[in-house]
Amino acid sequence: MKRDVMEQLIEWKDSADRKPLLITGVRQCGKTYVCKEFGETYFEDVAYFYFEGNKGLASVFEYDFDVDRILDELGNIIRGKEIIPGKTLVIFDEVQACPNAITSLKYFCENKRELHIICAGSLLGVSIKRDNISFPVGKVDRLQMYPMTFSEFLRADGGEAIYKGVQRYEKGRELPELYTAALEKALKYYYIVGGMPEVVAKWVETHNFEKIEKLQDNILLDYSSDFAKHAPKTDIPKLGWIWESIPKQLAKDNNKFVFSHVKAGKRSNELEDALEWLVDAGLVHRLELVKNPELPLSFYADATFFKVYMADVGLLRRKSGVSHRTIMEDSELYKNFKGAFTENFVLNELISQGIHPYFWRSGNTAELDFLFEYDDMVIPMEAKAELHTRAKSYQQFCKKYHPDVGFKFSMKNVGNHEVSETKTYSIPLYLIWMIKQYLNW
């Protein structure tokens, strides 16, 4: 399965000012697979080291940070084969289990820049904040990985020709049914399956809903086990409460995250650390409110008023108890939750493209789903689950602030028009992976 992150790894490999690379991302999003595939494709040799539960391996980093000694012991003693800079890709997996290995990256950067070294960790984001690690600030490159996007899923599930064909069409031109029918069906499948690589692989192999749901259940159980294994003991029950509350909070008409709805009698100051743990682990995303849409948006974000979404729509669908039949048949009973589910999908797609959005609200009269900055512009975006694209809040925002460009994502075909002098692109949800192409167009 092709992952878009591979292009970033190639760019890192060929960079003249390359540093050791830290890859973070939610557990089971494909970090290890991508690292190994990258090494086997672009290097003569791969030296892979797994740190979790390996005290012997960790002991290599306890004496000092002499990189020549470390490489000699890793290569000639532990794996029985020399590590050759420029030819060998070194992979440190679950590196958060060995804080000294993280600290050593400073010395690899300073004294062995010719060595290609990648460190990956499912809970690395948590460990960096939580543990007393001498972190090599300024001495590492960073890369965040996510579950597979819709376009990656489409290509993995036999849609490579559709993927390439769409890009041959002029950006403002409607797509023929040859494309729209296939893409609509693929999007429904993606809503069911999601982007966890193991689940996608099983889907591609079997196209069996029951088999992929068993894998999704196992992943959700693994995440809960991580709470008990890696989180502070005082936070374990809090993590469970928050984790279980996310689908319920999304189902509300006003899906602002409310701490008092997590557990009766609990206040935000009692639960904030637990929520931050989930964010650092990559399991959830926060979408913060911006009332004043000026640049930079981060300066005007209200960190106390936010929504919380899950990192994978397939897991959200399974955790919410929504049947695959409900998705495939567009059941009316699913209509209310479908809007929040669509927002979750759009947010994940934006974040995977390096776009970090906010949402806008004007009192109780209007709420815009997403707002992000791009090339000195503030870009408004509205997301609708169905064909209906009338968006009063979007119109109100454009009338008040007059942005140059905006987007409406729905199941409606491609089109564009003016809204209060704002160039507005109507784009199907299944083409959200092309948003930067539209912005540059």
Side-chain angles (χ1 to χ4, degrees):
M1 297 186 293
K2 295 179 181 178
R3 300 298 304 270
D4 294 335
V5 73
M6 192 67 76
E7 297 300 319
Q8 294 172 263
L9 291 175
I10 295 169
E11 184 178 339
W12 168 80
K13 170 184 176 290
D14 296 333
S15 173
D17 56 354
R18 179 192 62 253
K19 302 172 185 176
L21 180 63
L22 272 180
I23 300 181
T24 52
V26 65
R27 187 181 290 280
Q28 299 188 53
C29 71
K31 296 181 297 297
T32 300
Y33 173 85
V34 165
C35 289
K36 288 183 174 180
E37 180 76 11
F38 172 61
E40 291 167 3
T41 305
Y42 295 99
F43 290 84
E44 294 181 21
D45 183 30
V46 178
Y48 175 81
F49 302 98
Y50 185 82
F51 282 89
E52 193 166 301
N54 194 334
K55 293 182 179 179
L57 178 58
S59 69
V60 172
F61 298 85
E62 292 176 357
Y63 180 65
D64 60 25
F65 294 113
D66 182 328
V67 294
D68 290 321
R69 177 193 63 78
I70 291 173
L71 287 180
D72 178 64
E73 293 181 3
L74 289 176
N76 295 320
I77 297 178
I78 290 183
R79 79 168 190 141
K81 185 177 180 182
E82 184 181 4
I83 293 173
I84 303 173
K87 295 184 178 181
T88 305
L89 174 65
V90 176
I91 301 172
F92 290 168
D93 203 358
E94 297 299 351
V95 71
Q96 74 276 354
C98 181
N100 282 345
I102 297 175
T103 303
S104 75
L105 299 180
K106 173 181 184 293
Y107 302 94
F108 278 107
C109 177
E110 293 174 346
N111 304 316
K112 194 67 67 174
R113 188 66 74 94
E114 67 272 23
L115 178 71
H116 294 79
I117 180 169
I118 295 178
C119 299
S122 300
L123 295 174
L124 187 52
V126 171
S127 297
I128 289 171
K129 281 193 175 181
R130 179 194 64 195
D131 299 332
N132 187 25
I133 298 174
S134 179
F135 189 76
V137 177
K139 303 295 182 180
V140 295
D141 293 323
R142 301 289 295 269
L143 179 62
Q144 183 76 18
M145 270 191 68
Y146 303 97
M148 295 176 71
T149 62
F150 172 66
S151 69
E152 290 175 324
F153 171 84
L154 175 69
R155 284 172 280 168
D157 198 29
E160 184 76 31
I162 294 289
Y163 172 80
K164 291 180 178 178
V166 164
Q167 297 184 78
R168 288 194 290 265
Y169 275 75
E170 183 182 342
K171 295 296 180 290
R173 180 181 173 186
E174 285 194 358
L175 293 176
E177 188 176 355
L178 172 69
Y179 290 95
T180 60
L183 287 164
E184 287 172 11
K185 187 174 183 180
L187 184 61
K188 287 184 178 181
Y189 286 151
Y190 182 74
Y191 283 171
I192 295 166
V193 177
M196 304 307 287
E198 182 184 12
V199 182
V200 174
K202 181 59 70 174
W203 170 255
V204 171
E205 176 192 349
T206 67
H207 285 85
N208 184 294
F209 292 116
E210 291 183 1
K211 289 184 178 180
I212 65 108
E213 288 178 345
K214 286 180 181 179
L215 287 177
Q216 289 171 329
D217 290 341
N218 288 338
I219 291 173
L220 290 169
L221 286 172
D222 287 347
Y223 288 165
S224 296
S225 297
D226 279 343
F227 303 162
K229 185 176 180 181
H230 298 286
K233 289 184 179 180
T234 55
D235 283 349
I236 293 172
K238 301 175 188 177
L239 288 165
W241 298 335
I242 294 173
W243 185 238
E244 293 304 317
S245 81
I246 292 172
K248 299 173 186 175
Q249 301 229 23
L250 282 175
K252 297 182 301 182
D253 288 337
N254 175 359
N255 52 8
K256 172 197 173 188
F257 189 84
V258 180
F259 282 106
S260 61
H261 293 178
V262 172
K263 185 75 173 179
K266 295 297 178 182
R267 300 179 180 178
S268 60
N269 62 347
E270 298 177 85
L271 298 171
E272 283 173 341
D273 287 347
L275 176 60
E276 198 59 34
W277 194 98
L278 293 170
V279 173
D280 292 338
L283 289 166
V284 303
H285 300 306
R286 289 168 54 125
L287 184 70
E288 295 180 348
L289 171 69
V290 166
K291 293 181 180 177
N292 185 16
E294 295 183 12
L295 297 176
L297 291 175
S298 58
F299 278 25
Y300 299 96
D302 184 352
T304 67
F305 199 109
F306 57 88
K307 304 177 184 182
V308 173
Y309 297 90
M310 286 181 60
D312 180 71
V313 291
L315 295 181
L316 171 61
R317 193 271 312 175
R318 186 60 177 164
K319 189 170 183 59
S320 304
V322 177
S323 165
H324 61 266
R325 293 184 183 87
T326 300
I327 303 284
M328 295 304 298
E329 296 169 7
D330 275 331
S331 170
E332 281 293 312
L333 298 175
Y334 158 65
K335 188 175 181 179
N336 288 334
F337 187 65
K338 190 175 183 179
F341 190 84
T342 301
E343 288 179 22
N344 205 133
F345 164 72
V346 172
L347 177 65
N348 290 351
E349 291 285 307
L350 292 174
I351 288 175
S352 69
Q353 295 181 67
I355 296 172
H356 296 279
Y358 303 86
F359 74 100
W360 172 80
R361 177 175 288 179
S362 177
N364 294 319
T365 61
E367 181 176 308
L368 185 69
D369 293 329
F370 300 103
L371 196 68
F372 63 94
E373 53 188 91
Y374 185 84
D375 247 2
D376 283 336
M377 295 187 293
V378 173
I379 310 292
M381 174 191 283
E382 193 77 7
K384 299 293 183 183
E386 306 290 349
L387 285 168
H388 174 69
T389 60
R390 189 181 178 191
K392 293 181 180 178
S393 296
Y394 178 86
Q395 293 171 3
Q396 185 172 325
F397 182 91
C398 293
K399 185 176 181 180
K400 186 173 183 178
Y401 297 107
H402 306 289
D404 294 326
V405 178
F407 291 88
K408 289 183 181 180
F409 283 95
S410 68
M411 294 309 295
K412 190 176 180 180
N413 209 324
V414 177
N416 58 77
H417 57 283
E418 299 286 334
V419 176
S420 298
E421 300 181 357
T422 298
K423 180 74 170 181
T424 299
Y425 296 101
S426 288
I427 302 175
L429 289 162
Y430 47 73
L431 294 186
I432 195 168
W433 49 273
M434 296 181 69
I435 187 169
K436 287 189 177 179
Q437 295 182 39
Y438 277 92
L439 285 167
N440 293 330
W441 182 58

